[in-house]
Amino acid sequence: MTLEELHAQAAAAAENAYAPYSRFFVGAAVLLRDGRVVTGVNVENASYPLGMCAERCALARAVAEGVRPGEVEALAVTASPCGGCRQWLLEFGIDRVAFMHEGELLERAPIELLPDSFSL
Ligand SMILES: [Zn+2]
């Protein structure tokens, strides 16, 4: 699967985002090494800090199905990942991350998105 195809699935998922406050709909899709795709969306809350980003939603759904770090090949998201999500991308050992930035689909390795990052 190409990153463009994965991003198309992220864009389709964005239609299900729950974003009544910002109206900023985000979708993400993770490609697992076994070929499965798991999607996620941003989920807002009236208590704003409790909101969930699409990337973490997708990864949490994958974890609930038994996926662990190292088992995610790629992640595509319809917006540039926030700092917190970049830490999650590193944790899961994802090979490739694709996201829209200024109208262009960029591809990065997680370490490029968060150099000199925190780890235990
Ligand atoms: Zn985020």
Side-chain angles (χ1 to χ4, degrees), residues 53-117:
C53 296
E55 302 94 311
R56 285 182 286 138
C57 175
L59 288 168
R61 288 185 67 198
V63 167
E65 295 184 18
V67 172
R68 294 294 178 263
E71 298 177 8
V72 179
E73 179 178 326
L75 180 147
V77 60
T78 58
S80 181
C82 75
C85 284
R86 291 175 186 220
Q87 185 71 41
W88 272 55
L89 298 173
L90 273 171
E91 177 90 13
F92 279 85
I94 299 170
D95 297 343
R96 304 175 294 155
V97 178
F99 57 96
M100 291 302 295
H101 182 70
E102 299 180 349
E104 182 181 359
L105 186 63
L106 300 181
E107 178 182 344
R108 298 284 187 267
I111 194 65
E112 295 177 288
L113 298 173
L114 197 63
D116 305 316
S117 58

Side-chain angles (χ1 to χ4, degrees), residues 26-51:
V26 182
V30 294
L31 173 63
L32 305 179
R33 296 199 192 282
D34 64 11
R36 286 181 292 159
V37 173
V38 181
T39 60
V41 297
N42 58 325
V43 181
E44 295 181 347
N45 188 275
S47 179
Y48 291 176
L50 298 179

